[in-house]
Amino acid sequence: MAIKYGRPIELREVSRREGAAVPHALDLTVRPRRNRKAEWARRMVRENVLTTDDLIWPLFLIDGHNKREQVASMPGVERLSVDQAVREAERALKLTIPCLALFPYTEPSLRDEEGSEATNPNNLVCQAVRAIKKEFPDIGILCDVALDPFTSHGHDGLISDGRILNDETVAVLVRQALVQAEAGCDIIAPSDMMDGRVAAIREGLDQSGLSDVQIMAYAAKYASAFYGPFRDAIGSAKTLTGDKRTYQMDSANTDEALREVELDIAEGADMVMVKPGMPYLDVVRRVKDTFAMPTFAYQVSGEYAMIAAAANNGWLDGERAMMESLLAFKRAGADGVLSYFAPKAAEKLRAQG
Ligand SMILES: NCc1[nH]cc(CCC(=O)O)c1CC(=O)O
Ligand SMILES: [Mg+2]
């Protein structure tokens, strides 16, 4: 018997009632709205859920003490001095957010052509990792690996004659990863899109006795306009010369994303990421279906700014848009999301019980 919409097709005709009770009633066997008739019924058939376990909270760091600075293009997001970042780590623990991601605003005087501050074992990121881990060893810490917060030109790698050098950059990234891991960072997240960096970092970590440190590769990272507010936050917006299209991916491509992800997995990535998030949910789905790896998405600064700005203008319900946007990542197959909404979303989830 052919089954369609949960009822044998042969029986659908038979079941029609004579003289419907309601005038103009449609003779429908299947009414999808029945499963939506009440909140308890909707809860029963709900396919995806967002929990606080799905959230990674990115924090911006700034030098100083007891300092919090609003990021102009990201309403509600601040740059934090290390002591304040420690306070936020405590908040994250209470909200059962499993992991923080750290990004430094580097003083312009510390930026140079080579991004040397990246490999300073006492740079702002390393200070913050040590301070947070000392007080709250049970929260996960992810550190970005790329040179852009530290270079005077704002690029993720070393430059020669206007070209971003791949292999030379990878050597520096390994040293950057090592100072972060030695400071106590749990997850190294290379965001630079140089070829071969995952393998090099894995080897560097293993040779230094840091084989427990995980790698979350920004595997499919696109050259995107949605990073604008982030570059404002870390202070590279004004200095960035040109664009990042010779290393970050072309937004027209998805097969290429699969090849990038496959390489990073082969090179030793424990987890992979797609970035940006909402405009690339198709990529998240393909990556998850193809590789069945822990797959993360980054709801980037521009995505956050759009929702926050519209909400501040009263153009949409900010809380609902936030929750809906985060759930979209779960629906697309992501295991978690890096989001500036993390603390707000976690507060809301916990209030719901
Ligand atoms: N390589 C650094 C890096 N790591 C995360 C982001 C963007 C995150 C965001 O926009 O929220 C960027 C910016 C860039 O590649 O230019
Ligand atoms: Mg790659």
Side-chain angles (χ1 to χ4, degrees):
M1 217 183 269
I3 304 282
K4 201 173 180 195
Y5 303 125
R7 174 181 293 217
I9 284 172
E10 289 80 348
L11 294 180
R12 291 175 67 196
E13 298 306 310
V14 179
S15 73
R16 292 189 172 181
R17 280 159 287 154
E18 296 298 314
V22 185
H24 312 300
L26 298 173
D27 183 19
L28 297 181
T29 303
V30 180
R31 289 181 182 268
R33 286 186 53 190
R34 277 195 283 268
N35 284 345
R36 300 176 203 141
K37 68 183 176 186
E39 179 57 15
W40 64 262
R42 291 190 290 273
R43 277 170 46 215
M44 278 177 70
V45 298
R46 194 158 284 155
E47 297 170 42
N48 293 284
V49 284
L50 178 74
T51 77
T52 54
D53 293 344
D54 299 318
L55 301 170
I56 299 175
W57 181 9
L59 296 179
F60 294 113
L61 304 167
I62 190 157
D63 197 28
H65 189 77
N66 200 18
K67 201 158 135 192
R68 302 180 80 106
E69 251 181 35
Q70 173 64 46
V71 177
S73 53
M74 300 178 75
V77 173
E78 294 166 309
R79 301 185 193 93
L80 310 165
S81 55
V82 169
D83 58 295
Q84 295 302 302
V86 174
R87 298 276 62 86
E88 297 296 57
E90 181 173 24
R91 188 170 159 217
L93 261 184
K94 287 192 177 137
L95 289 168
T96 64
I97 293 172
C99 189
L100 301 172
L102 303 180
F103 298 93
Y105 171 92
T106 308
E107 290 303 322
S109 61
L110 293 175
R111 296 179 196 225
D112 59 23
E113 280 272 308
E114 290 81 37
S116 6
E117 182 66 5
T119 56
N120 172 2
N122 204 30
N123 68 21
L124 195 50
V125 170
C126 294
Q127 285 176 37
V129 172
R130 278 192 289 267
I132 293 170
K133 277 286 167 184
K134 184 161 168 247
E135 280 208 50
F136 305 110
D138 294 334
I139 192 149
I141 299 186
L142 175 153
C143 288
D144 205 78
V145 167
L147 300 184
D148 57 318
F150 311 98
T151 50
S152 44
H153 43 70
H155 278 287
D156 295 25
L158 304 174
I159 304 192
S160 173
D161 294 333
R163 284 179 50 246
I164 309 297
L165 305 173
N166 193 88
D167 303 11
E168 294 83 346
T169 297
V170 169
V172 182
L173 298 175
V174 172
R175 290 199 282 130
Q176 180 184 15
L178 285 179
V179 296
Q180 293 174 342
E182 269 151 16
C185 164
D186 302 288
I187 305 174
I188 293 294
S191 72
D192 53 285
M193 289 300 278
M194 297 302 119
D195 297 330
R197 89 281 203 213
V198 171
I201 291 171
R202 184 72 272 162
E203 193 188 333
L205 291 169
D206 292 349
Q207 283 176 356
S208 305
L210 296 162
S211 56
D212 277 348
V213 173
Q214 295 154 277
I215 296 179
M216 182 189 289
Y218 286 72
K221 174 169 178 178
Y222 288 86
S224 173
F226 290 98
Y227 307 150
F230 173 95
R231 292 176 189 167
D232 176 24
I234 66 159
S236 69
K238 284 191 207 78
T239 50
L240 181 64
T241 48
D243 58 50
K244 301 192 177 183
R245 287 175 215 231
T246 67
Y247 45 108
Q248 299 178 349
M249 283 178 53
D250 186 327
S251 56
N253 300 347
T254 69
D255 288 344
E256 186 186 0
L258 299 186
R259 297 197 296 273
E260 281 281 8
V261 169
E262 186 171 22
L263 275 171
D264 284 0
I265 294 170
E267 289 180 25
D270 303 287
M271 298 171 268
V272 294
M273 193 207 297
V274 173
K275 176 182 175 206
M278 284 227 294
Y280 297 86
L281 291 177
D282 57 323
V283 179
V284 175
R285 172 49 71 192
R286 279 194 86 186
V287 166
K288 186 64 184 179
D289 287 349
T290 306
F291 300 105
M293 282 287 284
T295 303
F296 292 79
Y298 199 142
Q299 182 177 50
V300 299
S301 56
E303 301 174 60
Y304 173 90
M306 287 194 299
I307 295 175
N312 284 353
N313 274 316
W315 293 341
L316 49 68
D317 179 331
E319 282 210 350
R320 286 188 54 201
M322 165 182 81
M323 297 310 271
E324 189 176 332
S325 69
L326 291 170
L327 189 58
F329 294 104
K330 296 302 299 287
R331 215 177 51 240
D335 295 287
V337 192
L338 290 92
S339 173
Y340 303 97
F341 286 123
K344 247 184 113 179
E347 269 159 17
K348 198 165 165 63
L349 288 167
R350 290 182 66 81
Q352 287 164 0

